Amino acid sequence: MLYAILCYNDETVVGTWTEEEDKKVMGDLLAVQKPLIDKGTLGPVARLLPTTSATTLRKTAGEPLVLDGPFAETKEQFLGFYVVEGESLEEVVGFVRELAEANPGTGAYEIRPVSFYAPGALAG
Amino acid sequence: MNQDDTGWIGIAINGARAKAVAALYRYFRDLDLAEEAFQEASLRALTAWPKNGPPRDAAAWLIFVGRNTGIDVLRKRARHTALPDEAVLSDTEDAESAIADRLDESHYRDDILRLLFVCCHPELPATGQIALALRVVSGLSVKQIARAFLVSEAAMEQRITRAKGRIAKAGVAFDTPDATERAERLGAVAAMVYLVFNEGYSSASERGENAKPFCEEAIRLGRLLLGLFPAEPELMGLLALMLLQGSRESARFDADGHIILMEDQDRDLWDRTMITEGLSLVEKAMRHGRPGPFQIQAAIAALHAEAKRAADTDWVQIELLYRALERMQPSPVVTLNRAVALSKVKGPQAALDLIDPLEEALSGYFYFHGLRGGLLMELKRDKEAREAFDKAMARATTTAEATHIRLHIDKLEARGRSGRFVYP
């Protein structure tokens, strides 16, 4: 089954990382992904820019409202996601556990089975 | 979480610093006490968090603990002074019950804005404003700030103490600001944040790594502000401007620390992530249709960032944007920048005609003479170019600037020796 792994963390904390710390985290995370890449079970991976760059379109009775900022004001923000193929939830939780260990500090990962998936055809 | 995570606790504390110090400042109304209370709370976090695990909301934890330790400090002080300051004490007792339910984002917003706003008090000199913001809000050490300003730690300590003294005397409003006041504060704070950025950006050649934290902190403050006021197009412009200028950091100097002009920079060294974020913010800001000086400057920076090669730069558009900026914020320095764009669009003579009337206003300004020399050189008026470069040389404030002008003078001299040009 395909699972989406949604990553949440406090972006003010993530934004406090120095360039070196950031690089180290990205390197550690890549090391965790490597076995899945080799097996061919890792789908798209995305890291999103801070929520200050977000725009939210909210549907209303009339014209949709286009608002600045993220959809929800929360203590932890949606910062990125993975799509992976897993035999079982247990297996995916194992992978996420490793991600969590490679990623310093607090934060949360939401694991959600995917019901519809289109890989798309982005060039490059 | 790993066991060796104490370092990351430091990061979590830093991330919560602005919120926590700002709330403690509202509470104690005293910068020193707010800082001291935060410091104490941070120390306690270092022992408590590894044991109990990190709190869900680090800022709230630090405010809560900081508030209690601050009250202890006040009590001790009261014991040491002849007359306990009942007014201060009772005031804090009152606030105590209120604080728990006042920890939502909107309060953080005004707290942080207030904290930044006191740092840009008009009575403080620019360096004082920058130093204070970096010390109090960003939490850089006095040593770090002193190093970046090329002064001794003791001198910087004194400067910060003096700045705090002025603020304490100035009388700060602690009630929730109304919309007009908030907008005014925001304008002053945005200008101060850009000052911090510029201090780091313009001194990067001299101070190297020591100047880097200034730009990084300014960008962080810009993000913080925009996070608090997500629909302010000028804050989008400010953050975009800093990101787009900062994206060129690795390309601005050669191995010897000499300036590389934008047209000669290796654009592959520009930071794509920062550019993406900057461009996205410019786009967002434009949708508001409320242009302002930061947005226009960011739009100019965006046009540079979007050009794959220097030759692709849309100078026509840049010149128009500088015109708009001139109208909005008339200043000889803006006109000088427009002249650069104009020289690309209409040639050096048009640019020279534009800047000649600025001579009086900008006679002490390095870039004025540097640009004038460059334009005269293009026009093959070598003798006047040399004079202008000499004036620029005398007004250079960094070695990189001086070296840059030296190179031009060398070029002129080489040209003179080749005998192609005869001075009148």
Side-chain angles (χ1 to χ4, degrees):
Chain A
M1 187 167 355
L2 282 182
Y3 294 88
I5 300 164
L6 314 178
C7 315
Y8 295 85
N9 204 344
D10 182 341
E11 70 181 354
T12 56
V13 172
V14 174
T16 313
W17 295 351
T18 62
E19 216 178 302
E20 291 72 37
E21 283 160 349
D22 199 285
K23 270 201 190 117
K24 183 179 180 307
V25 174
M26 291 310 272
D28 292 349
L29 289 174
L30 190 65
V32 175
Q33 296 160 31
K34 187 72 176 42
L36 276 71
I37 295 173
D38 293 345
K39 269 198 298 181
T41 57
L42 185 71
V45 178
R47 179 182 184 177
L48 309 178
L49 282 170
T51 54
T52 42
S53 65
T55 303
T56 303
L57 185 141
R58 188 176 273 285
K59 283 174 75 170
T60 60
E63 269 288 288
L65 277 177
V66 179
L67 303 163
D68 292 300
F71 155 66
E73 281 221 12
T74 45
K75 293 206 187 339
E76 284 156 331
Q77 290 77 31
F78 179 44
L79 301 186
F81 63 87
Y82 300 80
V83 176
V84 299
E85 165 117 58
E87 291 290 320
S88 64
L89 177 61
E90 219 35 56
E91 186 194 324
V92 180
V93 170
F95 170 64
V96 174
R97 222 183 268 282
E98 284 179 57
L99 286 178
E101 239 164 71
N103 211 344
T106 51
Y109 296 85
E110 181 178 329
I111 303 165
R112 293 268 289 274
V114 173
S115 87
F116 169 78
Y117 176 71
L122 275 179
Chain B
M1 233 176 85
N2 296 335
Q3 285 313 301
D4 61 349
D5 254 2
T6 44
W8 299 110
I9 290 181
I11 288 171
I13 291 173
N14 274 344
R17 181 184 171 100
K19 275 184 183 177
V21 174
L24 290 167
Y25 179 50
R26 162 165 52 77
Y27 189 64
F28 293 118
R29 308 190 168 196
D30 177 313
L31 277 179
D32 279 323
L33 188 53
E35 274 194 291
E36 199 179 332
F38 175 78
Q39 214 55 46
E40 187 57 35
S42 304
L43 285 176
R44 295 199 188 173
L46 283 176
T47 49
W49 293 3
K51 254 188 287 168
N52 313 332
R56 276 277 289 157
D57 185 338
W61 192 99
L62 289 165
I63 292 166
F64 189 79
V65 174
R67 199 192 56 192
N68 289 337
T69 57
I71 290 172
D72 284 346
V73 171
L74 276 182
R75 290 213 171 102
K76 268 185 216 138
R77 272 192 206 164
R79 231 175 285 144
H80 287 293
T81 48
L83 282 168
D85 194 341
E86 283 300 332
V88 171
L89 272 178
S90 59
D91 195 21
T92 57
E93 298 293 350
D94 288 341
E96 194 166 10
S97 54
I99 199 163
D101 50 348
R102 292 190 65 186
L103 285 178
D104 58 48
E105 291 297 317
S106 64
H107 281 101
Y108 282 141
R109 190 177 77 163
D110 286 325
D111 283 349
I112 292 174
L113 186 58
R114 178 185 305 110
L115 187 63
L116 282 162
F117 183 66
V118 298
C119 295
C120 48
H121 196 280
E123 270 180 42
L124 296 180
T127 51
Q129 296 185 13
I130 296 172
L132 199 61
L134 289 173
R135 177 70 207 102
V136 177
V137 188
S138 303
L140 294 195
S141 68
V142 174
K143 194 172 168 186
Q144 269 176 306
I145 302 169
R147 221 187 286 149
F149 272 118
L150 305 174
V151 298
S152 75
E153 213 176 316
M156 185 46 73
E157 183 78 64
Q158 208 182 15
R159 214 179 275 180
I160 292 173
T161 309
R162 216 180 299 138
K164 279 182 183 165
R166 280 204 189 172
I167 286 172
K169 261 187 249 149
V172 176
F174 281 90
D175 35 344
T176 306
D178 61 27
T180 319
E181 209 178 335
R182 194 175 283 142
E184 277 169 13
R185 288 185 178 192
L186 210 47
V189 166
M192 187 269 288
V193 170
Y194 192 56
L195 212 57
V196 174
F197 180 84
N198 238 341
E199 186 64 33
Y201 193 73
S202 58
S203 67
S205 67
E206 297 291 280
R207 309 177 198 168
E209 287 296 301
N210 291 336
K212 227 173 135 188
F214 280 45
C215 294
E216 284 172 5
E217 287 306 331
I219 288 175
R220 206 163 283 157
L221 290 172
R223 282 216 182 90
L224 178 75
L225 276 175
L226 184 56
L228 298 170
F229 300 93
E232 268 314 316
E234 269 298 86
L235 290 181
M236 295 173 201
L238 168 67
L239 179 54
L241 177 62
M242 296 190 293
L243 286 163
L244 292 167
Q245 288 187 317
S247 73
R248 301 196 290 264
E249 194 48 49
S250 322
R252 291 171 62 214
F253 303 100
D254 67 14
D256 303 320
H258 298 154
I259 296 172
I260 306 178
L261 290 181
M262 208 193 313
E263 56 194 57
D264 301 322
Q265 287 173 11
D266 176 355
R267 295 184 177 219
D268 289 338
L269 293 176
W270 291 3
D271 187 316
R272 297 325 299 185
T273 313
M274 288 168 95
I275 291 179
T276 310
E277 190 179 351
L279 293 179
S280 75
L281 288 166
V282 171
E283 255 192 301
K284 274 180 68 170
M286 305 262 239
R287 298 191 64 258
H288 285 263
R290 281 195 285 142
F294 283 125
Q295 291 173 74
I296 292 179
Q297 292 174 80
I300 292 167
L303 287 170
H304 285 301
E306 278 173 327
K308 296 233 160 24
R309 297 167 306 150
D312 301 333
T313 311
D314 187 348
W315 288 109
V316 174
Q317 194 64 33
I318 290 175
E319 203 263 334
L320 285 173
L321 285 165
Y322 272 122
R323 251 177 221 269
L325 190 58
E326 248 180 342
R327 274 196 302 273
M328 210 171 275
Q329 215 176 43
S331 114
V333 174
V334 174
T335 307
L336 191 68
N337 279 304
R338 177 158 84 81
V340 176
L342 192 66
S343 76
K344 308 280 182 184
V345 181
K346 294 219 170 113
Q349 189 59 55
L352 203 59
D353 294 342
L354 182 64
I355 68 166
D356 270 341
L358 306 177
E359 169 107 48
E360 202 180 328
L362 295 178
S363 64
Y365 194 49
F366 166 78
Y367 289 101
F368 172 77
H369 299 288
L371 174 64
R372 199 160 167 277
L375 295 170
L376 287 164
M377 197 169 152
E378 267 189 76
L379 291 167
K380 315 260 192 290
R381 287 156 64 177
D382 287 19
K383 185 159 175 283
E384 293 160 88
R386 175 64 200 251
E387 283 166 13
F389 284 141
D390 284 342
K391 282 185 189 162
M393 195 74 159
R395 287 158 184 84
T397 51
T398 65
T399 15
E401 285 176 359
T403 316
H404 186 70
I405 293 300
R406 185 74 245 164
L407 288 176
H408 281 298
I409 293 177
D410 289 349
K411 262 187 229 166
L412 271 181
E413 282 175 352
R415 195 148 95 172
R417 272 196 304 277
S418 76
R420 282 190 294 139
F421 302 101
V422 180
Y423 294 133

